[in-house]
PDB file of all heavy atoms in Angstrom:
ATOM      1  N   ALA A 804      13.124 -25.376  18.061  1.00 95.00           N
ATOM      2  CA  ALA A 804      12.050 -26.458  18.443  1.00 95.00           C
ATOM      3  C   ALA A 804      10.864 -26.334  17.543  1.00 95.00           C
ATOM      4  O   ALA A 804      10.544 -25.208  17.040  1.00 95.00           O
ATOM      5  CB  ALA A 804      11.762 -26.152  19.879  1.00 95.00           C
ATOM      6  N   LEU A 805      10.125 -27.414  17.232  1.00 95.00           N
ATOM      7  CA  LEU A 805       9.039 -27.449  16.494  1.00 95.00           C
ATOM      8  C   LEU A 805       7.957 -28.216  17.179  1.00 95.00           C
ATOM      9  O   LEU A 805       8.111 -29.456  17.475  1.00 95.00           O
ATOM     10  CB  LEU A 805       9.326 -28.002  15.134  1.00 95.00           C
ATOM     11  CG  LEU A 805       8.162 -28.304  14.209  1.00 95.00           C
ATOM     12  CD1 LEU A 805       7.475 -26.894  13.837  1.00 95.00           C
ATOM     13  CD2 LEU A 805       8.604 -29.031  12.816  1.00 95.00           C
ATOM     14  N   ILE A 806       6.809 -27.711  17.507  1.00 94.00           N
ATOM     15  CA  ILE A 806       5.754 -28.412  18.133  1.00 94.00           C
ATOM     16  C   ILE A 806       4.659 -28.760  17.022  1.00 94.00           C
ATOM     17  O   ILE A 806       4.284 -27.923  16.224  1.00 94.00           O
ATOM     18  CB  ILE A 806       5.000 -27.509  19.118  1.00 94.00           C
ATOM     19  CG1 ILE A 806       6.006 -27.180  20.321  1.00 94.00           C
ATOM     20  CG2 ILE A 806       3.713 -28.202  19.690  1.00 94.00           C
ATOM     21  CD1 ILE A 806       5.258 -26.169  21.342  1.00 94.00           C
ATOM     22  N   LEU A 807       4.439 -30.073  16.995  1.00 94.00           N
ATOM     23  CA  LEU A 807       3.410 -30.635  15.995  1.00 94.00           C
ATOM     24  C   LEU A 807       2.314 -31.150  16.720  1.00 94.00           C
ATOM     25  O   LEU A 807       2.318 -32.234  17.335  1.00 94.00           O
ATOM     26  CB  LEU A 807       4.120 -31.808  15.181  1.00 94.00           C
ATOM     27  CG  LEU A 807       5.506 -31.510  14.560  1.00 94.00           C
ATOM     28  CD1 LEU A 807       6.146 -32.763  14.026  1.00 94.00           C
ATOM     29  CD2 LEU A 807       5.255 -30.525  13.438  1.00 94.00           C
ATOM     30  N   PRO A 808       1.207 -30.328  16.790  1.00 91.00           N
ATOM     31  CA  PRO A 808      -0.008 -30.709  17.520  1.00 91.00           C
ATOM     32  C   PRO A 808      -0.734 -31.842  16.810  1.00 91.00           C
ATOM     33  O   PRO A 808      -0.690 -31.964  15.635  1.00 91.00           O
ATOM     34  CB  PRO A 808      -0.869 -29.425  17.487  1.00 91.00           C
ATOM     35  CG  PRO A 808      -0.367 -28.666  16.415  1.00 91.00           C
ATOM     36  CD  PRO A 808       1.058 -28.968  16.122  1.00 91.00           C
ATOM     37  N   LYS A 809      -1.401 -32.607  17.644  1.00 91.00           N
ATOM     38  CA  LYS A 809      -2.228 -33.746  17.146  1.00 91.00           C
ATOM     39  C   LYS A 809      -1.395 -34.721  16.227  1.00 91.00           C
ATOM     40  O   LYS A 809      -1.903 -35.169  15.033  1.00 91.00           O
ATOM     41  CB  LYS A 809      -3.538 -33.259  16.411  1.00 91.00           C
ATOM     42  CG  LYS A 809      -4.361 -32.475  17.278  1.00 91.00           C
ATOM     43  CD  LYS A 809      -5.570 -32.065  16.561  1.00 91.00           C
ATOM     44  CE  LYS A 809      -6.467 -31.146  17.440  1.00 91.00           C
ATOM     45  NZ  LYS A 809      -7.706 -30.659  16.774  1.00 91.00           N
ATOM     46  N   THR A 810      -0.116 -34.991  16.513  1.00 92.00           N
ATOM     47  CA  THR A 810       0.758 -35.688  15.644  1.00 92.00           C
ATOM     48  C   THR A 810       1.467 -36.900  16.421  1.00 92.00           C
ATOM     49  O   THR A 810       2.201 -36.579  17.442  1.00 92.00           O
ATOM     50  CB  THR A 810       1.883 -34.750  15.052  1.00 92.00           C
ATOM     51  OG1 THR A 810       1.183 -33.623  14.400  1.00 92.00           O
ATOM     52  CG2 THR A 810       2.736 -35.465  14.008  1.00 92.00           C
ATOM     53  N   ASP A 811       1.241 -38.138  15.903  1.00 92.00           N
ATOM     54  CA  ASP A 811       1.837 -39.208  16.609  1.00 92.00           C
ATOM     55  C   ASP A 811       3.307 -39.393  16.106  1.00 92.00           C
ATOM     56  O   ASP A 811       3.803 -38.695  15.335  1.00 92.00           O
ATOM     57  CB  ASP A 811       0.949 -40.447  16.371  1.00 92.00           C
ATOM     58  CG  ASP A 811       0.831 -40.818  14.866  1.00 92.00           C
ATOM     59  OD1 ASP A 811       1.649 -40.350  14.053  1.00 92.00           O
ATOM     60  OD2 ASP A 811      -0.051 -41.564  14.513  1.00 92.00           O
ATOM     61  N   GLN A 812       3.975 -40.425  16.724  1.00 93.00           N
ATOM     62  CA  GLN A 812       5.347 -40.692  16.448  1.00 93.00           C
ATOM     63  C   GLN A 812       5.608 -40.985  14.869  1.00 93.00           C
ATOM     64  O   GLN A 812       6.655 -40.369  14.308  1.00 93.00           O
ATOM     65  CB  GLN A 812       5.919 -41.728  17.227  1.00 93.00           C
ATOM     66  CG  GLN A 812       7.399 -42.026  16.963  1.00 93.00           C
ATOM     67  CD  GLN A 812       7.922 -43.036  17.929  1.00 93.00           C
ATOM     68  OE1 GLN A 812       7.455 -43.278  19.025  1.00 93.00           O
ATOM     69  NE2 GLN A 812       8.940 -43.867  17.479  1.00 93.00           N
ATOM     70  N   ARG A 813       4.775 -41.780  14.369  1.00 94.00           N
ATOM     71  CA  ARG A 813       4.959 -42.079  12.937  1.00 94.00           C
ATOM     72  C   ARG A 813       4.899 -40.923  11.934  1.00 94.00           C
ATOM     73  O   ARG A 813       5.942 -40.711  11.183  1.00 94.00           O
ATOM     74  CB  ARG A 813       4.040 -43.184  12.521  1.00 94.00           C
ATOM     75  CG  ARG A 813       4.104 -43.611  11.050  1.00 94.00           C
ATOM     76  CD  ARG A 813       3.041 -44.538  10.736  1.00 94.00           C
ATOM     77  NE  ARG A 813       3.072 -44.995   9.368  1.00 94.00           N
ATOM     78  CZ  ARG A 813       2.294 -45.815   8.810  1.00 94.00           C
ATOM     79  NH1 ARG A 813       1.238 -46.504   9.580  1.00 94.00           N
ATOM     80  NH2 ARG A 813       2.341 -46.265   7.455  1.00 94.00           N
ATOM     81  N   THR A 814       3.945 -40.029  12.204  1.00 95.00           N
ATOM     82  CA  THR A 814       3.719 -38.884  11.342  1.00 95.00           C
ATOM     83  C   THR A 814       4.875 -37.958  11.719  1.00 95.00           C
ATOM     84  O   THR A 814       5.394 -37.284  10.714  1.00 95.00           O
ATOM     85  CB  THR A 814       2.347 -38.218  11.579  1.00 95.00           C
ATOM     86  OG1 THR A 814       1.363 -39.227  11.326  1.00 95.00           O
ATOM     87  CG2 THR A 814       2.112 -36.992  10.654  1.00 95.00           C
ATOM     88  N   ALA A 815       5.272 -37.693  13.009  1.00 94.00           N
ATOM     89  CA  ALA A 815       6.248 -36.779  13.261  1.00 94.00           C
ATOM     90  C   ALA A 815       7.620 -37.186  12.649  1.00 94.00           C
ATOM     91  O   ALA A 815       8.362 -36.260  12.212  1.00 94.00           O
ATOM     92  CB  ALA A 815       6.301 -36.559  14.780  1.00 94.00           C
ATOM     93  N   THR A 816       7.894 -38.439  12.650  1.00 95.00           N
ATOM     94  CA  THR A 816       9.041 -38.946  12.108  1.00 95.00           C
ATOM     95  C   THR A 816       9.169 -38.711  10.583  1.00 95.00           C
ATOM     96  O   THR A 816      10.103 -38.233  10.106  1.00 95.00           O
ATOM     97  CB  THR A 816       9.225 -40.519  12.340  1.00 95.00           C
ATOM     98  OG1 THR A 816       9.274 -40.792  13.745  1.00 95.00           O
ATOM     99  CG2 THR A 816      10.511 -40.969  11.709  1.00 95.00           C
ATOM    100  N   ALA A 817       8.064 -38.885   9.889  1.00 95.00           N
ATOM    101  CA  ALA A 817       7.940 -38.635   8.461  1.00 95.00           C
ATOM    102  C   ALA A 817       8.200 -37.105   8.228  1.00 95.00           C
ATOM    103  O   ALA A 817       8.882 -36.673   7.313  1.00 95.00           O
ATOM    104  CB  ALA A 817       6.781 -39.029   7.968  1.00 95.00           C
ATOM    105  N   ILE A 818       7.631 -36.185   9.029  1.00 95.00           N
ATOM    106  CA  ILE A 818       7.694 -34.869   8.911  1.00 95.00           C
ATOM    107  C   ILE A 818       9.155 -34.377   9.149  1.00 95.00           C
ATOM    108  O   ILE A 818       9.717 -33.652   8.375  1.00 95.00           O
ATOM    109  CB  ILE A 818       6.843 -34.038   9.876  1.00 95.00           C
ATOM    110  CG1 ILE A 818       5.271 -34.230   9.513  1.00 95.00           C
ATOM    111  CG2 ILE A 818       7.174 -32.563   9.786  1.00 95.00           C
ATOM    112  CD1 ILE A 818       4.402 -33.641  10.412  1.00 95.00           C
ATOM    113  N   GLY A 819       9.810 -34.970  10.213  1.00 95.00           N
ATOM    114  CA  GLY A 819      11.180 -34.577  10.544  1.00 95.00           C
ATOM    115  C   GLY A 819      12.131 -35.034   9.452  1.00 95.00           C
ATOM    116  O   GLY A 819      13.033 -34.310   9.065  1.00 95.00           O
ATOM    117  N   GLU A 820      11.941 -36.165   8.890  1.00 95.00           N
ATOM    118  CA  GLU A 820      12.836 -36.701   7.811  1.00 95.00           C
ATOM    119  C   GLU A 820      12.716 -35.921   6.521  1.00 95.00           C
ATOM    120  O   GLU A 820      13.611 -35.613   5.808  1.00 95.00           O
ATOM    121  CB  GLU A 820      12.582 -38.063   7.619  1.00 95.00           C
ATOM    122  CG  GLU A 820      13.184 -39.015   8.734  1.00 95.00           C
ATOM    123  CD  GLU A 820      12.727 -40.527   8.644  1.00 95.00           C
ATOM    124  OE1 GLU A 820      11.967 -40.884   7.721  1.00 95.00           O
ATOM    125  OE2 GLU A 820      13.304 -41.323   9.338  1.00 95.00           O
ATOM    126  N   ARG A 821      11.432 -35.417   6.294  1.00 95.00           N
ATOM    127  CA  ARG A 821      11.238 -34.581   5.147  1.00 95.00           C
ATOM    128  C   ARG A 821      11.893 -33.294   5.322  1.00 95.00           C
ATOM    129  O   ARG A 821      12.492 -32.690   4.364  1.00 95.00           O
ATOM    130  CB  ARG A 821       9.818 -34.296   4.880  1.00 95.00           C
ATOM    131  CG  ARG A 821       9.438 -33.576   3.567  1.00 95.00           C
ATOM    132  CD  ARG A 821       7.882 -33.375   3.399  1.00 95.00           C
ATOM    133  NE  ARG A 821       7.420 -32.323   4.266  1.00 95.00           N
ATOM    134  CZ  ARG A 821       6.504 -32.413   5.199  1.00 95.00           C
ATOM    135  NH1 ARG A 821       6.007 -33.642   5.473  1.00 95.00           N
ATOM    136  NH2 ARG A 821       6.089 -31.462   5.923  1.00 95.00           N
ATOM    137  N   LEU A 822      11.859 -32.725   6.497  1.00 96.00           N
ATOM    138  CA  LEU A 822      12.550 -31.392   6.756  1.00 96.00           C
ATOM    139  C   LEU A 822      14.080 -31.537   6.625  1.00 96.00           C
ATOM    140  O   LEU A 822      14.733 -30.669   6.109  1.00 96.00           O
ATOM    141  CB  LEU A 822      12.253 -30.897   8.175  1.00 96.00           C
ATOM    142  CG  LEU A 822      10.794 -30.517   8.488  1.00 96.00           C
ATOM    143  CD1 LEU A 822      10.672 -30.107   9.889  1.00 96.00           C
ATOM    144  CD2 LEU A 822      10.327 -29.436   7.555  1.00 96.00           C
ATOM    145  N   ILE A 823      14.689 -32.715   6.989  1.00 96.00           N
ATOM    146  CA  ILE A 823      16.064 -32.896   6.855  1.00 96.00           C
ATOM    147  C   ILE A 823      16.478 -32.979   5.321  1.00 96.00           C
ATOM    148  O   ILE A 823      17.454 -32.337   4.893  1.00 96.00           O
ATOM    149  CB  ILE A 823      16.454 -34.179   7.574  1.00 96.00           C
ATOM    150  CG1 ILE A 823      16.319 -34.099   9.007  1.00 96.00           C
ATOM    151  CG2 ILE A 823      17.808 -34.733   7.068  1.00 96.00           C
ATOM    152  CD1 ILE A 823      16.615 -35.386   9.872  1.00 96.00           C
ATOM    153  N   ARG A 824      15.680 -33.665   4.589  1.00 96.00           N
ATOM    154  CA  ARG A 824      15.894 -33.760   3.185  1.00 96.00           C
ATOM    155  C   ARG A 824      15.775 -32.374   2.556  1.00 96.00           C
ATOM    156  O   ARG A 824      16.473 -31.962   1.608  1.00 96.00           O
ATOM    157  CB  ARG A 824      14.936 -34.804   2.507  1.00 96.00           C
ATOM    158  CG  ARG A 824      15.255 -36.196   2.967  1.00 96.00           C
ATOM    159  CD  ARG A 824      14.604 -37.196   1.987  1.00 96.00           C
ATOM    160  NE  ARG A 824      13.114 -36.933   2.089  1.00 96.00           N
ATOM    161  CZ  ARG A 824      12.246 -37.594   2.893  1.00 96.00           C
ATOM    162  NH1 ARG A 824      12.829 -38.433   3.836  1.00 96.00           N
ATOM    163  NH2 ARG A 824      10.991 -37.317   2.847  1.00 96.00           N
ATOM    164  N   THR A 825      14.698 -31.630   2.835  1.00 96.00           N
ATOM    165  CA  THR A 825      14.511 -30.259   2.251  1.00 96.00           C
ATOM    166  C   THR A 825      15.676 -29.326   2.625  1.00 96.00           C
ATOM    167  O   THR A 825      16.135 -28.687   1.725  1.00 96.00           O
ATOM    168  CB  THR A 825      13.159 -29.747   2.835  1.00 96.00           C
ATOM    169  OG1 THR A 825      12.088 -30.629   2.501  1.00 96.00           O
ATOM    170  CG2 THR A 825      12.863 -28.335   2.059  1.00 96.00           C
ATOM    171  N   VAL A 826      16.035 -29.264   3.747  1.00 96.00           N
ATOM    172  CA  VAL A 826      17.188 -28.363   4.239  1.00 96.00           C
ATOM    173  C   VAL A 826      18.441 -28.878   3.496  1.00 96.00           C
ATOM    174  O   VAL A 826      19.135 -27.990   2.982  1.00 96.00           O
ATOM    175  CB  VAL A 826      17.400 -28.480   5.747  1.00 96.00           C
ATOM    176  CG1 VAL A 826      18.611 -27.641   6.059  1.00 96.00           C
ATOM    177  CG2 VAL A 826      16.139 -27.888   6.481  1.00 96.00           C
ATOM    178  N   GLU A 827      18.728 -30.122   3.430  1.00 95.00           N
ATOM    179  CA  GLU A 827      19.968 -30.442   2.686  1.00 95.00           C
ATOM    180  C   GLU A 827      19.993 -30.192   1.264  1.00 95.00           C
ATOM    181  O   GLU A 827      21.137 -29.966   0.773  1.00 95.00           O
ATOM    182  CB  GLU A 827      19.982 -32.175   2.900  1.00 95.00           C
ATOM    183  CG  GLU A 827      21.311 -32.762   2.370  1.00 95.00           C
ATOM    184  CD  GLU A 827      21.232 -34.224   2.548  1.00 95.00           C
ATOM    185  OE1 GLU A 827      20.087 -34.889   2.670  1.00 95.00           O
ATOM    186  OE2 GLU A 827      22.307 -34.903   2.560  1.00 95.00           O
ATOM    187  N   SER A 828      18.897 -30.074   0.560  1.00 95.00           N
ATOM    188  CA  SER A 828      18.793 -29.819  -0.754  1.00 95.00           C
ATOM    189  C   SER A 828      18.495 -28.346  -1.067  1.00 95.00           C
ATOM    190  O   SER A 828      18.191 -28.047  -2.200  1.00 95.00           O
ATOM    191  CB  SER A 828      17.723 -30.665  -1.516  1.00 95.00           C
ATOM    192  OG  SER A 828      16.436 -30.422  -0.912  1.00 95.00           O
ATOM    193  N   SER A 829      18.622 -27.538  -0.018  1.00 95.00           N
ATOM    194  CA  SER A 829      18.255 -25.971  -0.252  1.00 95.00           C
ATOM    195  C   SER A 829      19.348 -25.174   0.160  1.00 95.00           C
ATOM    196  O   SER A 829      19.527 -24.647   1.327  1.00 95.00           O
ATOM    197  CB  SER A 829      17.074 -25.598   0.580  1.00 95.00           C
ATOM    198  OG  SER A 829      15.940 -26.515   0.203  1.00 95.00           O
ATOM    199  N   PRO A 830      20.431 -24.932  -0.736  1.00 95.00           N
ATOM    200  CA  PRO A 830      21.628 -24.053  -0.315  1.00 95.00           C
ATOM    201  C   PRO A 830      21.140 -22.593  -0.275  1.00 95.00           C
ATOM    202  O   PRO A 830      20.100 -22.259  -0.776  1.00 95.00           O
ATOM    203  CB  PRO A 830      22.597 -24.284  -1.487  1.00 95.00           C
ATOM    204  CG  PRO A 830      21.640 -24.612  -2.668  1.00 95.00           C
ATOM    205  CD  PRO A 830      20.560 -25.411  -2.121  1.00 95.00           C
ATOM    206  N   PHE A 831      21.904 -21.801   0.278  1.00 95.00           N
ATOM    207  CA  PHE A 831      21.774 -20.309   0.273  1.00 95.00           C
ATOM    208  C   PHE A 831      23.022 -19.688  -0.197  1.00 95.00           C
ATOM    209  O   PHE A 831      24.204 -20.131  -0.014  1.00 95.00           O
ATOM    210  CB  PHE A 831      21.280 -19.917   1.672  1.00 95.00           C
ATOM    211  CG  PHE A 831      22.364 -19.769   2.662  1.00 95.00           C
ATOM    212  CD1 PHE A 831      23.065 -18.636   2.946  1.00 95.00           C
ATOM    213  CD2 PHE A 831      22.597 -20.975   3.448  1.00 95.00           C
ATOM    214  CE1 PHE A 831      24.060 -18.648   3.963  1.00 95.00           C
ATOM    215  CE2 PHE A 831      23.608 -20.888   4.420  1.00 95.00           C
ATOM    216  CZ  PHE A 831      24.371 -19.780   4.749  1.00 95.00           C
ATOM    217  N   GLU A 832      22.839 -18.472  -0.620  1.00 94.00           N
ATOM    218  CA  GLU A 832      24.040 -17.546  -1.244  1.00 94.00           C
ATOM    219  C   GLU A 832      24.306 -16.496  -0.292  1.00 94.00           C
ATOM    220  O   GLU A 832      23.376 -15.916   0.278  1.00 94.00           O
ATOM    221  CB  GLU A 832      23.601 -17.069  -2.651  1.00 94.00           C
ATOM    222  CG  GLU A 832      23.224 -18.117  -3.650  1.00 94.00           C
ATOM    223  CD  GLU A 832      24.521 -18.837  -4.209  1.00 94.00           C
ATOM    224  OE1 GLU A 832      25.641 -18.267  -4.140  1.00 94.00           O
ATOM    225  OE2 GLU A 832      24.316 -19.964  -4.678  1.00 94.00           O
ATOM    226  N   HIS A 833      25.560 -16.255  -0.098  1.00 92.00           N
ATOM    227  CA  HIS A 833      25.948 -14.987   0.665  1.00 92.00           C
ATOM    228  C   HIS A 833      27.338 -14.572   0.245  1.00 92.00           C
ATOM    229  O   HIS A 833      28.220 -15.454   0.233  1.00 92.00           O
ATOM    230  CB  HIS A 833      25.966 -15.378   2.130  1.00 92.00           C
ATOM    231  CG  HIS A 833      26.069 -14.060   3.016  1.00 92.00           C
ATOM    232  ND1 HIS A 833      27.191 -13.829   3.728  1.00 92.00           N
ATOM    233  CD2 HIS A 833      25.336 -13.032   3.081  1.00 92.00           C
ATOM    234  CE1 HIS A 833      27.047 -12.674   4.352  1.00 92.00           C
ATOM    235  NE2 HIS A 833      25.868 -12.173   4.018  1.00 92.00           N
ATOM    236  N   ASP A 834      27.496 -13.300  -0.020  1.00 89.00           N
ATOM    237  CA  ASP A 834      28.784 -12.709  -0.491  1.00 89.00           C
ATOM    238  C   ASP A 834      29.346 -13.606  -1.667  1.00 89.00           C
ATOM    239  O   ASP A 834      30.613 -13.773  -1.757  1.00 89.00           O
ATOM    240  CB  ASP A 834      29.783 -12.798   0.716  1.00 89.00           C
ATOM    241  CG  ASP A 834      29.469 -11.669   1.664  1.00 89.00           C
ATOM    242  OD1 ASP A 834      28.755 -10.765   1.219  1.00 89.00           O
ATOM    243  OD2 ASP A 834      30.000 -11.738   2.790  1.00 89.00           O
ATOM    244  N   GLY A 835      28.572 -13.993  -2.572  1.00 91.00           N
ATOM    245  CA  GLY A 835      29.051 -14.726  -3.792  1.00 91.00           C
ATOM    246  C   GLY A 835      29.440 -16.139  -3.563  1.00 91.00           C
ATOM    247  O   GLY A 835      29.846 -16.776  -4.506  1.00 91.00           O
ATOM    248  N   LYS A 836      29.136 -16.689  -2.420  1.00 93.00           N
ATOM    249  CA  LYS A 836      29.427 -18.000  -2.052  1.00 93.00           C
ATOM    250  C   LYS A 836      28.182 -18.853  -1.793  1.00 93.00           C
ATOM    251  O   LYS A 836      27.138 -18.356  -1.254  1.00 93.00           O
ATOM    252  CB  LYS A 836      30.313 -18.250  -0.863  1.00 93.00           C
ATOM    253  CG  LYS A 836      31.742 -17.532  -1.097  1.00 93.00           C
ATOM    254  CD  LYS A 836      32.573 -17.743   0.127  1.00 93.00           C
ATOM    255  CE  LYS A 836      33.985 -17.236  -0.011  1.00 93.00           C
ATOM    256  NZ  LYS A 836      33.940 -15.837  -0.151  1.00 93.00           N
ATOM    257  N   THR A 837      28.238 -20.139  -2.224  1.00 95.00           N
ATOM    258  CA  THR A 837      27.034 -21.036  -2.000  1.00 95.00           C
ATOM    259  C   THR A 837      27.350 -21.877  -0.684  1.00 95.00           C
ATOM    260  O   THR A 837      28.342 -22.341  -0.592  1.00 95.00           O
ATOM    261  CB  THR A 837      26.843 -21.972  -3.151  1.00 95.00           C
ATOM    262  OG1 THR A 837      26.524 -21.054  -4.353  1.00 95.00           O
ATOM    263  CG2 THR A 837      25.571 -22.803  -2.899  1.00 95.00           C
ATOM    264  N   HIS A 838      26.430 -21.855   0.203  1.00 95.00           N
ATOM    265  CA  HIS A 838      26.558 -22.577   1.419  1.00 95.00           C
ATOM    266  C   HIS A 838      25.477 -23.656   1.575  1.00 95.00           C
ATOM    267  O   HIS A 838      24.219 -23.453   1.236  1.00 95.00           O
ATOM    268  CB  HIS A 838      26.459 -21.740   2.644  1.00 95.00           C
ATOM    269  CG  HIS A 838      27.501 -20.679   2.586  1.00 95.00           C
ATOM    270  ND1 HIS A 838      28.817 -20.729   3.127  1.00 95.00           N
ATOM    271  CD2 HIS A 838      27.440 -19.325   2.033  1.00 95.00           C
ATOM    272  CE1 HIS A 838      29.520 -19.641   2.820  1.00 95.00           C
ATOM    273  NE2 HIS A 838      28.637 -18.791   2.331  1.00 95.00           N
ATOM    274  N   TRP A 839      25.807 -24.819   2.025  1.00 95.00           N
ATOM    275  CA  TRP A 839      24.897 -26.018   2.244  1.00 95.00           C
ATOM    276  C   TRP A 839      24.754 -26.226   3.717  1.00 95.00           C
ATOM    277  O   TRP A 839      25.784 -26.172   4.520  1.00 95.00           O
ATOM    278  CB  TRP A 839      25.404 -27.214   1.528  1.00 95.00           C
ATOM    279  CG  TRP A 839      25.519 -26.999   0.049  1.00 95.00           C
ATOM    280  CD1 TRP A 839      26.575 -26.451  -0.618  1.00 95.00           C
ATOM    281  CD2 TRP A 839      24.577 -27.401  -0.977  1.00 95.00           C
ATOM    282  NE1 TRP A 839      26.457 -26.438  -1.926  1.00 95.00           N
ATOM    283  CE2 TRP A 839      25.189 -26.972  -2.203  1.00 95.00           C
ATOM    284  CE3 TRP A 839      23.332 -27.991  -0.905  1.00 95.00           C
ATOM    285  CZ2 TRP A 839      24.489 -27.241  -3.422  1.00 95.00           C
ATOM    286  CZ3 TRP A 839      22.701 -28.199  -2.154  1.00 95.00           C
ATOM    287  CH2 TRP A 839      23.204 -27.794  -3.325  1.00 95.00           C
ATOM    288  N   LEU A 840      23.505 -26.481   4.305  1.00 96.00           N
ATOM    289  CA  LEU A 840      23.243 -26.683   5.551  1.00 96.00           C
ATOM    290  C   LEU A 840      22.608 -28.060   5.732  1.00 96.00           C
ATOM    291  O   LEU A 840      21.915 -28.604   4.886  1.00 96.00           O
ATOM    292  CB  LEU A 840      22.342 -25.725   6.150  1.00 96.00           C
ATOM    293  CG  LEU A 840      22.660 -24.191   6.214  1.00 96.00           C
ATOM    294  CD1 LEU A 840      21.583 -23.283   6.631  1.00 96.00           C
ATOM    295  CD2 LEU A 840      23.966 -23.982   6.907  1.00 96.00           C
ATOM    296  N   THR A 841      22.826 -28.668   6.896  1.00 96.00           N
ATOM    297  CA  THR A 841      22.160 -29.923   7.287  1.00 96.00           C
ATOM    298  C   THR A 841      21.774 -29.701   8.763  1.00 96.00           C
ATOM    299  O   THR A 841      22.367 -28.961   9.443  1.00 96.00           O
ATOM    300  CB  THR A 841      23.016 -31.168   7.146  1.00 96.00           C
ATOM    301  OG1 THR A 841      24.108 -31.043   8.085  1.00 96.00           O
ATOM    302  CG2 THR A 841      23.462 -31.410   5.741  1.00 96.00           C
ATOM    303  N   ILE A 842      20.722 -30.507   9.165  1.00 96.00           N
ATOM    304  CA  ILE A 842      20.169 -30.300  10.531  1.00 96.00           C
ATOM    305  C   ILE A 842      20.065 -31.829  11.131  1.00 96.00           C
ATOM    306  O   ILE A 842      19.906 -32.712  10.488  1.00 96.00           O
ATOM    307  CB  ILE A 842      18.915 -29.649  10.633  1.00 96.00           C
ATOM    308  CG1 ILE A 842      17.858 -30.356   9.808  1.00 96.00           C
ATOM    309  CG2 ILE A 842      18.943 -28.196  10.252  1.00 96.00           C
ATOM    310  CD1 ILE A 842      16.344 -29.829   9.955  1.00 96.00           C
ATOM    311  N   SER A 843      20.165 -31.753  12.498  1.00 96.00           N
ATOM    312  CA  SER A 843      19.992 -33.022  13.328  1.00 96.00           C
ATOM    313  C   SER A 843      18.856 -32.814  14.172  1.00 96.00           C
ATOM    314  O   SER A 843      18.610 -31.666  14.708  1.00 96.00           O
ATOM    315  CB  SER A 843      21.225 -33.374  14.120  1.00 96.00           C
ATOM    316  OG  SER A 843      22.472 -33.609  13.278  1.00 96.00           O
ATOM    317  N   ILE A 844      17.934 -33.814  14.212  1.00 97.00           N
ATOM    318  CA  ILE A 844      16.706 -33.702  14.977  1.00 97.00           C
ATOM    319  C   ILE A 844      16.461 -34.695  16.030  1.00 97.00           C
ATOM    320  O   ILE A 844      16.795 -35.944  15.857  1.00 97.00           O
ATOM    321  CB  ILE A 844      15.498 -33.796  13.955  1.00 97.00           C
ATOM    322  CG1 ILE A 844      15.597 -32.625  12.862  1.00 97.00           C
ATOM    323  CG2 ILE A 844      14.170 -33.698  14.706  1.00 97.00           C
ATOM    324  CD1 ILE A 844      14.431 -32.696  11.775  1.00 97.00           C
TER     325      ILE A 844
END
């Protein structure tokens, strides 16, 4: 969960979509393998 204080729907939507794009484009490595994650909000 993420609480965004003093944030209306328009700004919160923009923040949430930016987080989705950032996670989607940020893989991580473990045991020599590359893994990609996505999130739903």
Side-chain angles (χ1 to χ4, degrees):
L805 175 60
I806 297 177
L807 303 173
K809 300 179 182 179
T810 305
D811 58 20
Q812 180 176 330
R813 180 180 177 182
T814 304
T816 300
I818 292 174
E820 291 177 345
R821 185 180 77 245
L822 295 178
I823 290 173
R824 293 193 300 271
T825 302
V826 172
E827 185 180 24
S828 62
S829 304
F831 72 95
E832 302 285 336
H833 189 251
D834 286 344
K836 296 183 178 62
T837 301
H838 302 275
W839 301 82
L840 300 176
T841 62
I842 59 175
S843 298
I844 299 178

